[in-house]
Amino acid sequence: FGHEKGAFTGATAFKPGKFDMANKGTIFLDEIGDMPLNLQAKILRVSQEREFYRVGGSKTIKVDVRFIASTNQNLDQLVQEGKFREDLYYRLNVFTLRLPPLRERKEDIPALVDHFIKKSSKSVEITSTALQMLMAYSWPGNVRELENVIERSVVICDDDEYIEPSHVPSFITDTFDNSLQNDTIPILPSNRPLDERLAEVERNMIIEALRKTGGVQIRATELLGINQRSLWHRIKKHNIDVKSIKKSGL
């Protein structure tokens, strides 16, 4: 909210607040689920009355701002637990955009990996097997965790031209299902175009999951960590014959 000159010891000059700077624009409240209740009350007042007081000030400041808030927490649950104001929740919850966790959109992993590798200081690529391991992991830390893993792998690979499975952290390789590395899943040469390698990795992972579940797609989605609609689109994209997999009984 900013402060007026002389509002407290050390306040030698006027300092505009975030709402001052956001007037006629947008203010972004990051991780609002972690906001203390006393601050929530102040935010509610600004959102309703479109006005606030600076620290040490007696003049009402009028503002016109658009609110955008984000959180990684369940606000409904926080409201029930009394940790988030219900009135503020309904005030902000006009239009909601849900960004699915990385485990629910694994098709983004290859593009993100390629992006993070290009950001690094080394000119390296990733092998199909290493990429396969990354796509099989659940990523509780989402994109930030993936970025950290790629940065670590690039550092560890030293002068190697490729990120190999040995460069991937053990907490990923230890949880990787060894059956995905058997002879039924060919590893494409690294000199093949990236899109071809990624498509083949994804196709083989889906086929392996369908074989394990006898072609039952709902169970396969649980193994792959994606929703049923996403699996259906990928089966269609890769022209996978689910009926043949069911009949084979493999």
Side-chain angles (χ1 to χ4, degrees):
F1 298 102
H3 62 74
E4 301 289 354
K5 180 180 180 180
F8 50 85
T9 302
T12 57
F14 158 72
K15 179 182 178 182
K18 304 299 183 185
F19 282 103
D20 282 300
M21 293 184 282
N23 192 27
K24 302 299 181 181
T26 302
I27 189 165
F28 175 51
L29 305 175
D30 193 16
E31 297 296 353
I32 196 169
D34 299 326
M35 183 178 289
L37 286 170
N38 63 331
L39 183 55
Q40 291 179 30
K42 296 177 182 179
I43 296 296
L44 175 64
R45 182 177 186 277
V46 179
S47 68
Q48 290 180 332
E49 306 299 331
R50 302 292 179 180
E51 62 183 29
F52 68 95
Y53 292 94
R54 298 192 186 101
V55 177
S58 58
K59 180 182 177 182
T60 300
I61 309 299
K62 295 286 186 179
V63 290
D64 179 16
V65 297
R66 174 175 55 190
F67 287 83
I68 297 178
S70 73
T71 182
N72 64 353
Q73 301 193 53
N74 186 330
L75 290 186
D76 287 307
Q77 183 177 343
L78 292 181
V79 169
Q80 294 174 11
E81 296 173 353
K83 297 178 180 178
F84 196 86
R85 292 183 62 107
E86 186 175 16
D87 45 9
L88 178 59
Y89 171 68
Y90 288 117
R91 184 70 185 173
L92 293 175
N93 191 23
V94 177
F95 187 82
T96 301
L97 290 173
R98 178 181 178 271
L99 180 63
L102 189 56
R103 63 181 176 274
E104 293 182 11
R105 49 189 177 99
K106 292 191 174 182
E107 66 273 16
D108 291 349
I109 291 177
L112 288 168
V113 168
D114 187 50
H115 171 69
F116 293 141
I117 287 178
K118 287 179 179 178
K119 281 180 59 179
S120 69
S121 57
K122 295 181 181 179
S123 178
V124 297
E125 297 183 30
I126 187 168
T127 64
S128 298
T129 307
L131 181 60
Q132 207 171 330
M133 290 179 169
L134 298 182
M135 293 190 70
Y137 184 59
S138 60
W139 299 106
N142 291 303
V143 177
R144 289 190 183 95
E145 183 183 14
L146 175 60
E147 183 175 13
N148 289 338
V149 165
I150 296 301
E151 289 178 354
R152 176 187 184 278
S153 300
V154 169
V155 170
I156 291 178
C157 71
D158 293 327
D159 296 328
D160 297 335
E161 296 181 359
Y162 297 97
I163 296 176
E164 302 281 355
S166 59
H167 304 135
V168 177
S170 60
F171 63 84
I172 294 178
T173 57
D174 290 346
T175 57
F176 184 69
D177 188 352
N178 291 328
S179 65
L180 291 177
Q181 302 182 69
N182 59 29
D183 294 338
T184 65
I185 297 182
I187 303 300
L188 298 182
S190 296
N191 60 357
R192 292 281 294 278
L194 179 62
D195 288 342
E196 288 186 22
R197 285 188 283 153
L198 301 183
E200 190 66 19
V201 167
E202 183 178 69
R203 184 176 189 277
N204 285 320
M205 289 181 69
I206 292 172
I207 291 175
E208 184 66 15
L210 290 170
R211 283 174 174 167
K212 286 184 175 181
T213 60
V216 180
Q217 295 185 37
I218 294 180
R219 291 176 57 195
T221 61
E222 296 174 356
L223 292 179
L224 294 168
I226 58 177
N227 60 48
Q228 193 170 1
R229 183 178 179 83
S230 179
L231 177 60
W232 181 83
H233 280 298
R234 297 180 204 198
I235 288 173
K236 185 176 180 180
K237 179 179 72 173
H238 295 298
N239 196 26
I240 298 173
D241 190 347
V242 179
K243 291 182 179 179
S244 297
I245 295 175
K246 286 183 177 179
K247 290 179 181 179
S248 66
L250 296 176

